[in-house]
């Protein structure tokens, strides 16, 4: 994102006193040491997706998993409803869905130098020297972006900060930057552990290149190679990721190999610690619609790799009505668990599944096994307005599937007439579509309303019958809530079996609200944590 000017408003209030003694630049309007309280009951507030308490959020940052806790940091402007004044907000979760707001984790070190996107690693073996007596030391690696008085972009450099308390409070490294530069377009470092060293991918955004750097101590970095001009160039490269992923056999699900994946679009390849070599020349896309940007994988996850992304994009993130109506903007996608496999006919692909929803499942609203037919559920009484739906279609005689053979998933609001349509065609080119054009509430030229993507689910030279599955979660963000869902199978060849399940989802926020309906976040600051926070402040003075 290019920041044309700084958008500062005096929205936030508390915290001026707490800010005293913090030598990194802290805007008096930004609370330190305490989470920002918020109301999550508004009609536009998603109930099973993360959204910030107030203010503007963009990319997920620094995601890691340690001792049973997922940590999500995010690009956060606590003083406005558009980008600018970037901090790292912070939330934690044990299940990947129920997020507890934490105090802001990283503040701009100077008034006009913002904390842009980056990553976090756990320095188990104290390679950095920051953690003499710890195996749970946490280091954040991120971009510091300077802005000039006239609003133009100054240098973007890579910096680190370390945490002795598993990521709740951080201290800036005194000798930042760790990767210097004069470029105003050099950002978003993602670091992983590779055998005996650390490896970083970072974007030379407007040169369409990723730099790969290596380090033994997270402080001194050496350039190793570039990965340049791959895939869909678009306006610029941002937020690259590098992750090791299991390769699973499509039939048995067994892990048969492992490969690395670079995501921008995404590329599958081998990584030898310094160079990334793609397996083929293809550029693959994880999503075909619009609202998933800057996704990151959690550091420290074994097996299938878990990621989430920013469920918006720069074309309209700063205009969506949640800002004026409810005082916040942007949500994250749901967490996904991903692995690689070889799909019929199209070969290498990344399979994304919605991460285990067990902890948020509410009542079962419908289960039905049928051939052609339909299931309609009125979910007006579901307090969260959120549902999980799964449809499994098995025994599809692929030679007989036609372009009239469909599985449609349609949500409607009888009171307003709005609807959201989606569906799949089992014949022809196998398009899956989503149509949000029958929803009102937001009008913007970039708010594209129809998307479709080919979902090749069988290989006609090898498969006589095939199966297909869809998982869907719908969440609150409509003026008139959608209250009915219909799952309909039409013109499927004889023998096909469709199993449909519809579940209510529990609100992840409702249980955290106090009597006034306010979600206060984690204020159970232990004396230890408080001391560390104070200690950091004093140390920095
Ligand atoms: C991507 C991005 C990053 C940058 C951050 C700033 O959305 O533009 O490249 O670090 O947002 O908020």
């Amino acid at each position: 994102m290019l920041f044309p000017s700084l958008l500062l408003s005096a929205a936030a209030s508390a915290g001026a006193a707490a800010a005293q003694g913090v030598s990194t630049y802290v805007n008096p309007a930004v609370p330190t040491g305490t989470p920002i309280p918020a109301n999550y009951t508004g009609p536009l507030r998603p109930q099973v997706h993360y959204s910030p308490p107030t203010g503007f959020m963009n990319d997920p940052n620094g995601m890691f998993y340690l001792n049973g806790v997922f940590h999500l940091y995010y690009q956060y402007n606590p003083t406005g409803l558009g980008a600018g004044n970037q901090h790292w907000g912070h939330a934690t979760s044990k299940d990947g869905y129920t997020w507890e707001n934490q105090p802001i984790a990283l503040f701009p070190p100077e008034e006009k130098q913002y904390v842009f996107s980056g990553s976090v690693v756990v320095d188990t073996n104290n390679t950095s020297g920051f953690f003499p007596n710890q195996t749970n030391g946490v280091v954040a690696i991120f971009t510091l972006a300077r802005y000039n008085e006239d609003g133009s972009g100054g240098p973007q450099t890579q910096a680190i900060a370390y945490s002795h308390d598993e990521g709740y409070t951080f201290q800036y490294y005194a000798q930042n930057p760790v990767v210097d530069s004069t470029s105003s377009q050099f950002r978003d470092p993602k670091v992983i552990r590779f055998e005996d060293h650390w490896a970083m991918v970072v974007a030379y955004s407007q040169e369409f290149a990723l730099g790969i750097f290596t380090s033994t101590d997270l402080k001194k970095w050496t350039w190793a190679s570039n990965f340049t001009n791959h895939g869909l160039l678009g306006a610029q490269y941002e937020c690259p990721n590098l992750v090791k992923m299991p390769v699973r056999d499509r039939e048995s699900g067994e892990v048969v190999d492992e490969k690395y994946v670079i995501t921008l679009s995404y590329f599958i390849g081998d990584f030898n610690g310094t160079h990334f070599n793609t397996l083929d020349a293809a550029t693959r896309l994880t999503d075909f619609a619009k609202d998933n940007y800057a996704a990151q994988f959690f550091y420290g996850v074994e097996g299938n790799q878990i990621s989430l992304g920013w469920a918006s994009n720069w074309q309209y993130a700063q205009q969506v009505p949640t800002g004026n109506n409810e005082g916040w903007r942007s949500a994250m996608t749901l967490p996904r668990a991903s692995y690689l496999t070889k799909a019929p006919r199209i070969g290498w692909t990344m399979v994304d599944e919605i991460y285990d929803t067990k902890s948020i499942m509410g009542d079962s609203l419908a289960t039905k096994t049928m051939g052609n037919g339909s299931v309609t559920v009125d979910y007006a009484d579901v307090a969260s307005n959120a549902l999980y739906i799964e449809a499994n279609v098995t025994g599809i005689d692929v030679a007989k599937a036609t372009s009239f053979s469909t599985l449609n998933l349609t949500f409607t609001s009888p009171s307003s007439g709005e609807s959201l349509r989606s569906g799949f065609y089992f014949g022809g080119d196998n398009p899956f579509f989503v149509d949000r054009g029958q929803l009102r509430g937001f009008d913007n030229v970039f708010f594209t309303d129809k998307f479709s993507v080919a979902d090749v689910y069988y290989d006609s030279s090898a498969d006589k019958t095939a199966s297909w599955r869809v998982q869907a979660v719908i969440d609150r963000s409509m003026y008139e809530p959608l209250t009915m869902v219909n799952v309909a199978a039409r013109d499927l060849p004889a023998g096909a079996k469709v199993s449909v399940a519809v579940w209510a989802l529990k609100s992840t926020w409702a249980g955290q609200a106090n009597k006034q309906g306010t979600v206060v976040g984690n204020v159970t600051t232990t004396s230890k944590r408080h001391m560390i926070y104070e200690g950091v402040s004093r140390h920095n003075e």
Side-chain angles (χ1 to χ4, degrees), residues 1-3 58-59 75 83 86 115-117 143 187-188 205 236-239 293-294 310 314:
M1 148 74 177
L2 310 174
F3 283 56
N58 53 289
D59 316 350
Q75 283 292 285
Q86 300 300 96
V115 194
F116 271 21
S117 287
T143 301
R187 58 181 175 273
D188 308 338
S205 298
Q236 55 192 335
Y237 278 4
E238 295 185 313
C239 301
Y293 194 65
W310 177 34
W314 287 114

Side-chain angles (χ1 to χ4, degrees), residues 206-384:
Q206 302 201 348
E207 294 160 50
F208 301 105
L210 297 189
I212 298 180
F213 288 72
T214 59
S215 173
T216 53
D217 62 2
L218 297 164
K219 296 168 176 166
K220 286 182 293 302
W221 290 92
T222 310
W223 176 84
S225 67
N226 273 4
F227 183 80
T228 310
N229 270 39
H230 283 271
L232 305 170
L233 299 187
Q236 55 192 335
Y237 278 4
E238 295 185 313
C239 301
N241 257 232
L242 174 63
V243 65
K244 185 164 78 175
M245 222 176 251
V247 176
R248 292 183 182 275
D249 179 85
R250 186 169 76 93
E251 301 296 331
S252 69
E254 292 297 311
V255 176
V256 291
D257 199 358
E258 58 190 27
K259 294 280 172 205
Y260 280 81
V261 173
I262 278 186
T263 58
L264 269 170
S265 319
Y266 79 91
F267 308 97
I268 306 172
D270 292 308
F271 181 61
N272 65 3
T274 56
H275 292 70
F276 185 85
N277 295 307
T278 55
L279 298 188
D280 56 33
T283 300
R284 297 173 169 85
L285 300 176
T286 50
D287 288 44
F288 208 72
K290 267 189 126 151
D291 304 311
N292 185 1
Y293 194 65
Q296 244 194 45
F297 288 90
F298 284 92
Y299 182 93
V301 171
E302 299 292 329
N304 292 354
Q305 291 298 300
I306 303 171
S307 69
L308 54 76
W310 177 34
S312 193
N313 63 69
W314 287 114
Q315 288 183 339
Y316 46 72
Q318 302 178 99
Q319 280 85 40
V320 293
T322 59
N324 296 338
N325 293 12
E326 297 182 3
W328 59 275
R329 280 203 172 112
S330 296
M332 294 302 179
T333 70
L334 296 179
R336 303 171 174 193
S338 305
Y339 62 91
L340 301 172
T341 196
K342 288 200 180 157
R345 200 154 73 65
I346 57 166
W348 283 108
T349 195
M350 190 196 298
V351 178
D352 293 343
E353 292 179 341
I354 296 178
Y355 182 65
D356 190 352
T357 52
K358 162 163 84 274
S359 63
I360 56 168
M361 293 300 247
D363 295 337
S364 163
L365 303 182
T367 50
K368 186 169 178 180
T369 302
M370 60 191 189
N372 290 307
S374 85
V375 182
T376 301
V377 175
D378 178 342
Y379 64 97
D381 290 342
V382 172
S384 65

Side-chain angles (χ1 to χ4, degrees), residues 433-455:
F433 74 93
V434 174
D435 175 9
R436 57 184 182 181
Q438 306 304 312
L439 296 169
R440 293 189 289 276
F442 182 50
D443 180 31
N444 181 290
V445 287
F446 300 113
F447 193 71
T448 317
D449 62 4
K450 293 177 180 59
F451 304 93
S452 67
V453 62
D455 182 15

